[in-house]
Amino acid sequence: MNCINKACLFLLFFAVLSVSVYAQDPLQLSLEDCIKMALENNENIEIYKQIKESAKWQLSSAKKAKGVNISWQTSAYRIDRDYYYTTFGNTLSMQVPISTGRRIEETINRQLLQLDSADISLENQKQLIRFAVIEAYYNVLQCKNLVTIAESGVRMSSEQMSVIQTQYDEGALVKSDLLHMQIELANYEQGLIDAKGSLEIAENKLLSLIGLPIDTLIETTDKFEYSPYPMTLEECLEFAKANRLDSKIAKNAVKQSETQIKILKADEKPSISAVASKNITDNKASHFSRNESWEAGVVMTWKIFNNNETKHSVKSAEAEVKRAKAEAVGVDKNILLQTKSAYIQMKSAEKNIETSAEAVLKAKENLSISQARYEEGVDILLNLTDAQEKLIRAGTNYYTALYEYNLGRASLEKAIGK
């Protein structure tokens, strides 16, 4: 095989390898990418969109009740009057409501409120999905950080194990020290396995939320960051009162219940309609000339007595109003409680960031000192492994504080409806 053929085979192999590696490249995903994908693919969004669409058509239907109604009635009768004969009739009628005691108007108002609630509910569902994605994304970031910490523990233990194995082989250490280090390494390796398993579960949950197959390889591009939250607790509480969507939905439900009372009370008032009709009868179905008549005028309908049906329906609706008002008060109380709790949790995590960051620096210094003392033969192995464990724990605490702060911040913004 000449050099050219060898070169071609090498290039072909390199090309195939490159395609294979490229096919396995993970999908780069930012938090905003994930939120966008979830909002596009989540089935709950479609459900609430259709609820809103239904509310639109219900409003349109309520508005149509104010318009003209035209009906056609046809009939055929067999009559016995000294002799048998057949008569056919057709009636064309038109009716236009003039006054319904505000039944139509209040029905339209109720449908407007329902459409508004459907719109708010759709946006509220989007907020819930946004938070679910943020939480899942942050869980992935946290698990990745914990994997990094676990890998550093395995690496440090492996390096120390290599040194101790050499010392033991040279007879400089007793077997108990070797066994102690082997146990430490096994524990760190087990911790790494668990951390990787947790990361895979967190990634699968995120993939499910954003609508991707769970075997998709992904790489998160965002990192945990810290910046002080710009709003005070009082500002957060005021913002929540004005912007929480579930509070608006609850208040809207009260208005709908109050409107239902007005609709029911319309039955106690007279309704007036303009009517016109034309009647045609004949003894043949295809002829309409024997008898023709038309009429036009105004019809008033007033339910003088309906056995207190309306009164009892109004009482039921009034009870519904009281229930809706009580529920709205409960929603507002819960919103304030959620906001305050989220704010306190966020501030606690914020303090832990500074504390845990200092602990990491001290743990690194402590490990360096323990390492030097052990190498000089003035300290025991147990103190060295203890220093390593303290560094791992400090690093875990630091990343956990960052995670809890960022998640707490997101929880706070969800609580205030931002």
Side-chain angles (χ1 to χ4, degrees):
M1 184 179 296
N2 58 37
C3 293
I4 294 177
N5 289 338
K6 289 181 179 179
C8 290
L9 287 173
F10 175 80
L11 290 174
L12 179 62
F13 172 76
F14 181 80
V16 172
L17 181 61
S18 298
V19 171
S20 176
V21 171
Y22 181 77
Q24 296 299 318
D25 282 349
L27 178 63
Q28 304 290 312
L29 290 174
S30 68
L31 177 57
E32 288 302 318
D33 293 334
C34 292
I35 291 174
K36 182 179 179 181
M37 294 172 70
L39 292 177
E40 290 174 350
N41 299 322
N42 191 280
E43 61 277 5
N44 286 336
I45 296 293
E46 183 61 27
I47 291 172
Y48 279 86
K49 282 182 178 178
Q50 294 309 314
I51 291 174
K52 181 179 177 180
E53 186 70 13
S54 175
K56 282 182 179 180
W57 286 109
Q58 288 175 16
L59 173 60
S60 178
S61 176
K63 289 180 177 179
K64 295 298 181 182
K66 297 177 70 175
V68 177
N69 286 300
I70 299 176
S71 61
W72 174 34
Q73 180 180 350
T74 185
S75 62
Y77 293 96
R78 182 70 169 171
I79 299 175
D80 178 10
R81 189 179 297 168
D82 296 332
Y83 61 92
Y84 291 102
Y85 71 95
T86 303
T87 182
F88 299 90
N90 289 273
T91 301
L92 183 66
S93 60
M94 179 180 70
Q95 183 175 6
V96 181
I98 297 174
S99 172
T100 60
R102 291 197 58 78
R103 168 180 280 276
I104 293 177
E105 291 81 0
E106 295 302 336
T107 301
I108 291 173
N109 288 338
R110 186 181 62 181
Q111 296 307 136
L112 282 168
L113 290 169
Q114 287 184 353
L115 177 58
D116 190 38
S117 287
D119 193 41
I120 296 172
S121 296
L122 174 59
E123 182 55 37
N124 189 54
Q125 186 64 28
K126 289 180 180 179
Q127 287 193 9
L128 293 175
I129 291 172
R130 288 188 189 102
F131 178 75
V133 173
I134 290 171
E135 186 177 34
Y137 193 93
Y138 284 176
N139 282 337
V140 171
L141 294 183
Q142 172 68 351
C143 289
K144 286 177 65 176
N145 288 333
L146 294 182
V147 167
T148 301
I149 292 292
E151 288 174 341
S152 68
V154 171
R155 184 177 63 255
M156 285 191 299
S157 294
S158 296
E159 292 172 354
Q160 195 63 47
M161 182 68 207
S162 178
V163 173
I164 289 176
Q165 183 68 55
T166 301
Q167 292 175 336
Y168 175 76
D169 292 341
E170 293 174 353
L173 285 179
V174 295
K175 190 171 184 179
S176 60
D177 284 348
L178 177 64
L179 293 174
H180 175 78
M181 201 62 228
Q182 288 174 338
I183 293 171
E184 286 291 320
L185 178 56
N187 288 338
Y188 282 124
E189 288 174 340
Q190 182 63 49
L192 178 58
I193 292 171
D194 292 342
K196 288 182 175 179
S198 297
L199 174 59
E200 185 176 359
I201 292 172
E203 288 177 339
N204 288 344
K205 182 176 181 180
L206 178 61
L207 288 167
S208 177
L209 279 172
I210 64 179
L212 289 178
I214 60 174
D215 59 349
T216 305
L217 295 177
I218 60 172
E219 180 66 33
T220 51
T221 59
D222 290 0
K223 307 286 184 185
F224 281 138
E225 295 180 351
Y226 167 73
S227 61
Y229 198 68
M231 297 172 66
T232 65
L233 175 58
E234 290 72 21
E235 290 171 337
C236 288
L237 292 172
E238 290 301 318
F239 194 95
K241 290 177 184 177
N243 293 279
R244 269 290 287 264
L245 296 179
D246 45 354
S247 177
K248 294 180 180 180
I249 292 170
K251 290 179 174 62
N252 209 323
V254 173
K255 293 178 182 178
Q256 289 184 53
S257 299
E258 291 172 339
T259 304
Q260 181 63 22
I261 294 177
K262 297 177 183 179
I263 294 172
L264 292 170
K265 286 185 175 181
D267 280 346
E268 299 174 342
K269 301 174 184 178
S271 62
I272 303 172
S273 300
V275 296
S277 64
K278 184 175 180 63
N279 302 304
I280 305 172
T281 59
D282 205 312
N283 57 2
K284 291 184 179 180
S286 59
H287 294 170
F288 305 113
S289 58
R290 196 189 70 168
N291 186 15
E292 293 188 31
S293 65
W294 65 269
E295 58 185 12
V298 176
V299 174
M300 183 184 77
T301 304
W302 196 349
K303 294 181 180 179
I304 303 299
F305 179 72
N306 64 352
N307 201 27
N308 287 327
E309 178 185 350
T310 300
K311 181 179 179 180
H312 292 175
S313 296
V314 168
K315 289 293 184 182
S316 175
E318 288 173 345
E320 179 64 20
V321 169
K322 291 179 181 179
R323 183 204 64 79
K325 286 182 176 179
E327 192 170 90
V329 170
V331 169
D332 286 343
K333 284 183 178 179
N334 193 46
I335 287 171
L336 296 181
L337 177 61
Q338 289 177 0
T339 300
K340 192 169 184 179
S341 298
Y343 192 89
I344 291 172
Q345 290 173 356
M346 181 193 70
K347 297 302 286 186
S348 297
E350 184 178 40
K351 293 177 182 177
N352 288 336
I353 292 174
E354 183 177 354
T355 303
S356 58
E358 292 178 359
V360 170
L361 295 177
K362 292 177 181 178
K364 286 182 178 179
E365 183 179 3
N366 181 50
L367 177 60
S368 179
I369 293 172
S370 296
Q371 183 76 43
R373 288 175 59 82
Y374 180 77
E375 291 175 356
E376 292 171 2
V378 296
D379 208 346
I380 60 174
L381 178 62
L382 182 62
N383 288 339
L384 175 59
T385 56
D386 181 63
Q388 290 176 347
E389 177 62 28
K390 287 179 178 177
L391 178 58
I392 295 298
R393 193 182 310 123
T396 301
N397 291 341
Y398 173 71
Y399 281 123
T400 299
L402 267 179
Y403 163 73
E404 290 179 346
Y405 174 76
N406 281 274
L407 185 60
R409 183 169 174 147
S411 298
L412 176 60
E413 296 199 334
K414 173 178 174 287
I416 67 177
K418 191 172 182 180

